[in-house]
Amino acid sequence: MAEARLAAVGGLVRELLREEAPARIAALTEELFQAAGSICKEDGSAAEVEPRPAGPVPPSSPPEERGVQAAALAQVEEDAVSLWNWAVTKHMGSVVNDEQRAKLRFVACRLVCLCEGSDPPEGTIRRQILMSMKTGKGWIDIGKADLADGFLEIAMNSIEKLYAKLLKGSNGEADTHVHKADVEKNLFKVLSYQAESAVAQGDFQKAVMSVQRCKDMLIKLPKETCYLSILCYNFGVETYEWKRYEQSSFWLSQSYDIGKMDVKYSVGKEMQAKMLRLLATAYFEWDCNLYLDKALKAISLANQEDLHPAGFYLKVKILLKSGASDEDISSAVSEFLHHEMSLDFCLNTAKLLLEHGREPVGFDFLKSISERFESSPDHGKITLLHIEFLLQNKRELLAKQKVEEIIIGHYTGKQLLPEALNRLHIILWDRAAKHYEAKTYSEALHWYNYSVSFYTPGQIDQNLAKLQRNMASCYLHLRQIDKAKEAVREAERCDPNSIFTKFSVYKIAVMEKDTDKAVEAVIEMGKLAEKPSQHEDKLRVDENTGTNLLSLAAQIALENEQQVVAIKALEYLSEHLQDCRQLFAALKCLVRLTLSKVMAENEEKRDEDINSMLTYLTLAHKRLAESFTEEKFTGDMRILEAHWFRKVAWNLAVQFRGCPEKMRDFFLLSFKLSQFCPSDKAVLIAQKTCLLMAAAVDLEMGRQQETPSEQMELLTQALQHLQTCKEIWKVLKLTGDFAKDPTDTLLLLYEFEARSKLNDPTLHDLMESVWEQPQIEVKTLEIIASLAMESPARYPVLCKKALKSALNLHRKQTVIDAVKFSKCLHSLINLSLPTGLTDLDACVLQEVWDYFEDALNVVSSTDAYPEMEILWLMTRAWNTGIFQYTVGKYKEAEQWCGLGMRFLNHLGSLKKSYEGHMIGLYSEVLDKLDRAKGFLPNEEE
């Protein structure tokens, strides 16, 4: 099994050696690493794999098998060496990275170990030592020290094996010394690598033991002194960074001691001083009070080894931390002046002193370095530091004197360098800002004026524009409007396209109650907020600046009771706000402000503001839909906002019911906003009502619309609202008893009207379900009948069927409502017997005759039948008879005229007006009928 696995690994090695593609190289490297690791896990270790014998192969194996095994192992060994060399070459060519090289070394080293015999030759052992050491070191270098230990142990064992082999073949003591020296170099390296691995793994004791053995070997290997000293220094740096100060101080002490062991091979005084400075720092940060003496001793030694500014600085730092007297610190500082130190270093030291409250020493030192660097171009830095610490110590008057000295120098040929001048401006502005925050605006102006002093008249500068704007703000607080205007004019001259400048203009306009100018400034700010300024170097406008300023503008307008200006600012603000909570707050404010404005306006001026509120609510809906992607805006927040805006939209719809189109739009917005709320009963009822109202308005507007295309659009919209409403109504009916709710009837009537006027082919299917309803109301049927004939709809068959059904329901009532019955019958007769038609089918006349008979029965049974309806029935019956008479149908004429005479008998006060005329005509009809009968032939007997 082992041979098969080795052969497979060998195949992967050979494939890798031929490969050029980086991705494939990386994949094969990982595959080889896993395969080599699995061989070791399955077989235990290299020692457990059957080694290649050094002498004759035992006779238990056939000669052919022994030959095959030897050849296979030789091939594996050759592949391993080739892989090693390939990895070195490719790493140099940057084809493989450090980790891949470490993995390939791991594979090569493992394979070589597996091929090693029980008594390998000297060359093989030396190669094994080299490969194991480099493999272990490779793992350490990539931060996987735990993988290095095994290879370093193999290297150590191989060194012992090599030493034993060399001693075995030596002749005398001289040879023994030569052989011992031969292996000690490798032993030193392995021990140092083991120390590195131990430090990396936090095994301090093991690292100390390994370094001590290396240290003991320096007598014989003096050239390694520098290497070991730097190694210990690196250990000190690492443990210092890990804040293991005790270990760090040990390693740094060791580094320093080792460095002194052999001057010839020492690291040099500079490096020794560097070690000591870090050692002093370790003591300082470990516990300055406990290790103060050690820290001072270390830094003193460092300064003796090599004079360096860092050494002096650290010494002062340690003394300050320890609470040394001003005299001791002054003595230490005075050493600075005896050596060449840079100005920046001296300034840092002075700053250190002043930050620790050592003002006498600090200011004396500043005075000394001021004299020393008087001719330096950077001399201004000293004065600036002096000013900063005077201000920090609330010695403002002295600081002002120093600033005024600089201003005088600026105009007498002693200008500060640009960098120092910029720093001075920052100091001046910072002091002015503090006074502004403290509301001591006059003092703020004093410091801003110092800054202005350094600008030449007519100079155009972004910072000068900001300076003038800041001054304008101070003047406004002091109610010095004219000076504020002058400052803003200067700002406009320097930076006319700045949103900050426009904001300053805006503030003055609001203060002067100049509404038009304030609105104009807000509009300019809104435009600038859309595309932030790109030319401001130090005052770059970020994405929030525009919204922040517009928000502040709205606040200022509200504080000054300027609603129109506030509305304009909030409108632009709502267009640019990204934060949902801020946006909804702005929209709420806009709705309230605009609504209060609308209530105070004439109706003629309301339209624009109503449209504005529609826009605000539409934006609220849009942002609620988008808010699902915003993490900070939670679901509960979304629901609360949606409820607020849907209720507002509802109330506005009710409030503007005098304007149907607007009412519809608000109801639809309320519905859309409610879709972001949980679908509880209250919300479902609101949604249903909104859609019903929207559909009702669309139908009403459709009735009034003369253009067919626009009418069709309105009817189609209504139908869409009704379809959605029907779905909601289905869900709502599951939540309780809605027996008295008229929604089903309204949905039916609205849908019937829309479909009938759209000439929808599904209308008859809709009505089939209506005829099957057992509890449909008379009123509903009468409305359906009316709608069926309302232009552009024309469905006489449906109309007649609805009226018949209504009439049947009237008949079924215990006490017939004569008035309602009369109206229904009137409509049915009108539909069945159109006025002016004489050539009627006998069936139609019979059907209509039945209606008249129904009417007569009701009239005979009650006195409540409207007299005008009786008169109308009488007139229609009589006229029908007369029409029949004119076409020679005397029998039919007699019947219908007789029917009219029967209704005449039921007339009240109107009977006398018609009786004489009708009797005369009726007699004429009967006479005509008798004569007509005389011409008829006698019937055969």
Side-chain angles (χ1 to χ4, degrees):
M1 288 294 293
E3 286 80 358
R5 286 193 294 273
L6 285 172
V9 172
L12 287 173
V13 169
R14 289 188 290 277
E15 184 181 352
L16 176 61
L17 298 180
R18 295 191 300 270
E19 190 57 63
E20 293 294 335
R24 184 61 183 152
I25 287 172
L28 285 170
T29 298
E30 190 60 33
E31 193 174 349
L32 270 171
F33 178 65
Q34 297 296 333
S38 66
I39 289 174
C40 300
K41 287 178 183 176
E42 291 176 17
D43 295 337
S45 68
E48 294 172 19
V49 178
E50 184 178 346
R52 185 176 64 189
V57 179
S60 58
S61 300
E64 296 83 358
E65 186 178 337
R66 293 197 298 273
V68 169
Q69 289 176 349
L73 289 171
Q75 181 61 53
V76 171
E77 186 173 8
E78 182 182 340
D79 290 341
V81 173
S82 297
L83 178 62
W84 182 277
N85 294 334
W86 184 88
V88 171
T89 304
K90 293 298 182 182
H91 183 264
M92 291 173 66
S94 300
V95 176
V96 296
N97 58 34
D98 291 344
E99 184 172 359
Q100 289 169 336
R101 180 180 65 169
K103 289 180 176 180
L104 293 173
R105 281 180 168 178
F106 168 89
V107 174
C109 194
R110 282 296 187 199
L111 292 177
V112 167
C113 287
L114 291 169
C115 295
E116 181 185 323
S118 58
D119 186 20
E122 180 184 331
T124 300
I125 296 173
R126 289 185 183 277
R127 182 180 65 192
Q128 181 63 54
I129 293 168
L130 175 69
M131 293 176 73
S132 299
M133 279 198 304
K134 287 188 175 292
T135 302
K137 178 62 172 166
W139 285 126
I140 293 169
D141 289 343
I142 66 167
K144 296 185 178 181
D146 56 314
L147 297 177
D149 291 344
F151 290 97
L152 295 176
E153 195 60 39
I154 291 171
M156 189 66 81
N157 292 335
S158 297
I159 288 171
E160 292 175 2
K161 194 183 291 185
L162 176 62
Y163 185 56
K165 195 171 192 69
L166 291 173
L167 285 179
K168 189 176 180 181
S170 64
N171 295 316
E173 189 176 342
D175 281 353
T176 301
H177 287 299
V178 171
H179 297 322
K180 193 171 183 180
D182 189 28
V183 297
E184 279 181 339
K185 288 182 181 179
N186 285 331
L187 178 61
F188 183 89
K189 281 188 178 180
V190 173
L191 287 169
S192 69
Y193 293 164
Q194 285 180 328
E196 280 192 70
S197 177
V199 170
Q201 295 180 71
D203 192 341
F204 178 65
Q205 293 302 324
K206 183 178 178 181
V208 170
M209 290 171 59
S210 297
V211 168
Q212 187 58 50
R213 287 184 66 184
C214 289
K215 192 174 177 182
D216 294 340
M217 296 173 70
L218 288 178
I219 299 171
K220 295 178 181 178
L221 300 171
K223 291 181 179 180
E224 300 297 335
T225 301
C226 180
Y227 167 79
L228 188 59
S229 177
I230 291 173
L231 183 68
C232 289
Y233 172 75
N234 291 337
F235 291 165
V237 172
E238 285 183 40
T239 49
Y240 172 80
E241 290 172 350
W242 297 335
K243 300 189 184 301
R244 298 174 186 170
Y245 299 120
E246 185 176 4
Q247 293 180 20
S248 178
S249 61
F250 171 81
W251 290 120
L252 293 167
S253 297
Q254 286 291 309
S255 176
Y256 177 64
D257 291 342
I258 292 168
K260 294 190 300 180
M261 288 176 66
D262 193 315
V263 177
K264 183 178 179 182
Y265 298 106
S266 174
V267 292
K269 289 184 175 295
E270 289 184 8
M271 188 63 192
Q272 286 285 75
K274 187 177 181 181
M275 294 171 187
L276 289 166
R277 285 195 296 272
L278 184 56
L279 177 59
T281 304
Y283 283 131
F284 176 76
E285 296 191 14
W286 185 6
D287 190 332
C288 186
N289 295 324
L290 189 60
Y291 299 105
L292 174 62
D293 292 338
K294 288 186 176 182
L296 285 173
K297 182 181 178 181
I299 197 60
S300 297
L301 284 171
N303 290 339
Q304 290 171 18
E305 290 282 350
D306 179 51
L307 291 172
H308 191 279
F312 286 110
Y313 187 82
L314 183 56
K315 184 175 181 179
V316 173
K317 194 176 178 182
I318 293 168
L319 287 170
L320 288 168
K321 181 75 173 178
S322 68
S325 65
D326 283 356
E327 290 76 12
D328 290 340
I329 294 171
S330 182
S331 175
V333 168
S334 64
E335 295 179 32
F336 284 48
L337 302 175
H338 300 141
H339 304 283
E340 287 297 325
M341 300 292 177
S342 69
L343 174 59
D344 286 340
F345 172 74
C346 291
L347 288 173
N348 287 336
T349 305
K351 192 174 181 181
L352 180 68
L353 292 167
L354 294 168
E355 284 174 348
H356 281 78
R358 302 302 180 102
E359 293 179 30
V361 181
F363 285 125
D364 284 346
F365 184 63
L366 273 177
K367 185 178 179 182
S368 299
I369 62 174
S370 179
E371 293 171 359
R372 182 168 182 173
F373 294 98
E374 188 173 5
S375 59
S376 170
D378 285 323
H379 183 269
K381 289 183 179 180
I382 303 170
T383 310
L384 291 183
L385 185 63
H386 202 156
I387 291 169
E388 284 186 80
F389 278 96
L390 285 171
L391 291 173
Q392 284 181 21
N393 289 280
K394 299 181 180 179
R395 297 163 73 176
E396 196 165 288
L397 189 59
L398 287 173
K400 284 182 177 179
Q401 290 175 3
K402 288 287 181 184
V403 173
E404 287 165 8
E405 288 173 12
I406 293 175
I407 294 171
I408 292 168
H410 184 77
Y411 289 99
T412 56
K414 294 182 180 179
Q415 288 92 351
L416 295 176
L417 291 177
E419 184 182 348
L421 183 56
N422 286 338
R423 179 64 192 156
L424 176 60
H425 279 302
I426 291 169
I427 294 169
L428 297 173
W429 286 27
D430 182 62
R431 178 52 49 173
K434 283 182 170 59
H435 279 294
Y436 187 90
E437 290 168 7
K439 299 184 179 180
T440 50
Y441 302 114
S442 295
E443 278 299 308
L445 282 167
H446 201 90
W447 288 93
Y448 280 133
N449 275 316
Y450 280 150
S451 187
V452 171
S453 300
F454 293 97
Y455 291 96
T456 57
Q459 184 176 348
I460 294 178
D461 186 274
Q462 299 291 325
N463 286 327
L464 179 57
K466 182 177 181 181
L467 181 56
Q468 294 290 355
R469 290 193 295 264
N470 291 345
M471 293 177 72
S473 296
C474 293
Y475 286 128
L476 286 174
H477 282 292
L478 294 169
R479 299 289 171 178
Q480 297 178 16
I481 307 297
D482 291 338
K483 289 186 177 181
K485 284 183 175 180
E486 185 182 344
V488 169
R489 279 195 292 271
E490 277 297 299
E492 286 186 294
R493 183 183 62 80
C494 293
D495 191 8
N497 296 319
S498 168
I499 192 170
F500 296 104
T501 303
K502 299 301 179 187
F503 182 65
S504 296
V505 172
Y506 169 82
K507 286 193 291 184
I508 293 172
V510 169
M511 188 167 282
E512 293 189 319
K513 300 190 181 303
D514 188 340
T515 301
D516 292 339
K517 192 168 184 179
V519 168
E520 183 184 338
V522 166
I523 293 170
E524 290 296 323
M525 289 167 65
K527 291 177 181 177
L528 290 167
E530 292 175 4
K531 41 184 179 182
S533 175
Q534 297 296 317
H535 67 277
E536 297 185 5
D537 297 328
K538 297 180 181 177
L539 305 174
R540 187 173 299 279
V541 180
D542 64 27
E543 59 182 6
N544 294 320
T545 301
T547 55
N548 291 340
L549 287 177
L550 287 167
S551 178
L552 191 55
Q555 182 182 334
I556 291 169
L558 290 171
E559 289 172 354
N560 287 272
E561 299 181 352
Q562 296 190 28
Q563 277 193 344
V564 174
V565 181
I567 288 172
K568 184 59 68 177
L570 286 166
E571 283 178 345
Y572 275 104
L573 181 62
S574 63
E575 291 176 12
H576 298 101
L577 276 171
Q578 296 301 314
D579 184 278
C580 282
R581 285 174 292 185
Q582 292 178 8
L583 170 69
F584 293 131
L587 288 174
K588 286 178 181 178
C589 192
L590 268 173
V591 169
R592 292 188 184 107
L593 287 172
T594 309
L595 185 57
S596 65
K597 184 183 170 191
V598 167
M599 300 310 295
E601 287 176 335
N602 296 326
E603 288 191 18
E604 298 174 359
K605 297 180 179 179
R606 285 185 178 182
D607 277 354
E608 186 178 344
D609 289 324
I610 293 173
N611 287 333
S612 295
M613 284 192 286
L614 280 169
T615 302
Y616 306 151
L617 292 171
T618 302
L619 179 57
H621 175 263
K622 178 175 179 287
R623 289 303 299 272
L624 280 169
E626 293 170 352
S627 69
F628 287 91
T629 59
E630 189 169 322
E631 293 180 7
K632 294 181 181 178
F633 195 69
T634 64
D636 289 342
M637 292 178 186
R638 185 181 304 106
I639 291 168
L640 285 172
E641 298 296 352
H643 273 306
W644 193 92
F645 284 106
R646 81 169 179 84
K647 289 175 182 177
V648 166
W650 175 285
N651 291 336
L652 290 172
V654 173
Q655 189 162 347
F656 299 121
R657 56 186 176 274
C659 181
E661 187 175 358
K662 296 292 187 288
M663 179 176 73
R664 176 201 61 189
D665 292 342
F666 280 119
F667 271 128
L668 285 176
L669 271 171
S670 183
F671 166 71
K672 290 177 182 177
L673 288 160
S674 70
Q675 290 178 304
F676 298 109
C677 303
S679 297
D680 57 26
K681 187 174 180 179
V683 169
L684 289 171
I685 290 172
Q687 289 179 339
K688 177 208 70 168
T689 307
C690 287
L691 290 168
L692 276 175
M693 293 300 293
V697 172
D698 278 333
L699 291 172
E700 179 59 31
M701 291 171 66
R703 294 182 200 117
Q704 299 170 8
Q705 188 57 249
E706 295 180 0
T707 309
S709 61
E710 293 181 3
Q711 185 183 50
M712 184 174 291
E713 184 180 349
L714 287 165
L715 293 170
T716 303
Q717 282 179 190
L719 205 53
Q720 290 170 352
H721 302 328
L722 291 169
Q723 291 305 313
T724 308
C725 187
K726 284 169 76 174
E727 296 301 318
I728 293 169
W729 180 232
K730 284 179 186 176
V731 177
L732 185 57
K733 283 196 288 187
L734 300 174
T735 65
D737 182 13
F738 292 90
K740 296 181 180 180
D741 193 294
T743 300
D744 280 320
T745 301
L746 291 173
L747 284 170
L748 169 62
L749 293 174
Y750 290 168
E751 185 175 357
F752 179 82
E753 180 176 358
R755 292 193 186 280
S756 64
K757 291 179 179 178
L758 286 169
N759 196 23
D760 191 321
T762 64
L763 179 65
H764 290 283
D765 296 334
L766 172 67
M767 293 312 297
E768 286 303 317
S769 64
V770 173
W771 309 136
E772 294 170 4
Q773 291 182 18
Q775 296 179 343
I776 191 165
E777 294 182 358
V778 173
K779 184 67 175 175
T780 304
L781 290 167
E782 290 173 345
I783 294 172
I784 288 173
S786 174
L787 292 171
M789 299 301 288
E790 188 175 282
S791 179
R794 182 162 182 78
Y795 291 91
V797 175
L798 284 176
C799 177
K800 186 182 288 187
K801 192 167 185 178
L803 289 171
K804 283 182 179 179
S805 298
L807 209 58
N808 286 334
L809 289 174
H810 277 300
R811 290 195 197 98
K812 290 177 182 178
Q813 291 178 358
T814 307
V815 178
I816 295 176
D817 187 323
V819 175
K820 291 181 180 179
F821 179 87
S822 69
K823 288 180 181 178
C824 181
L825 191 67
H826 186 127
S827 298
L828 186 58
I829 291 172
N830 251 348
L831 184 68
S832 304
L833 188 66
T835 305
L837 294 179
T838 57
D839 188 16
L840 292 171
D841 185 86
C843 293
V844 173
L845 282 173
Q846 183 58 48
E847 179 186 345
V848 177
W849 180 272
D850 292 340
Y851 299 151
F852 277 94
E853 288 285 354
D854 281 344
L856 199 57
N857 290 334
V858 174
V859 169
S860 301
S861 63
T862 180
D863 294 332
Y865 209 99
E867 187 176 15
M868 293 306 295
E869 286 297 321
I870 298 172
L871 176 61
W872 181 83
L873 288 166
M874 180 196 77
T875 304
R876 289 305 305 270
W878 180 266
N879 288 342
T880 302
I882 296 301
F883 288 144
Q884 299 298 320
Y885 178 79
T886 58
V887 294
K889 294 182 178 181
Y890 304 118
K891 184 178 180 181
E892 288 82 358
E894 186 274 333
Q895 289 175 339
W896 282 98
C897 287
L899 183 62
M901 294 298 292
R902 290 162 69 188
F903 279 107
L904 176 65
N905 294 328
H906 292 284
L907 282 177
S909 60
L910 295 173
K911 182 176 180 181
K912 292 181 180 180
S913 302
Y914 294 93
E915 188 174 23
H917 178 66
M918 288 179 66
I919 289 173
L921 285 174
Y922 186 54
S923 298
E924 186 179 332
V925 170
L926 291 175
D927 183 54
K928 199 79 171 178
L929 178 61
D930 289 340
R931 276 180 292 175
K933 286 179 178 178
F935 289 107
L936 294 174
N938 292 328
E939 191 173 321
E940 292 184 6
E941 295 182 359

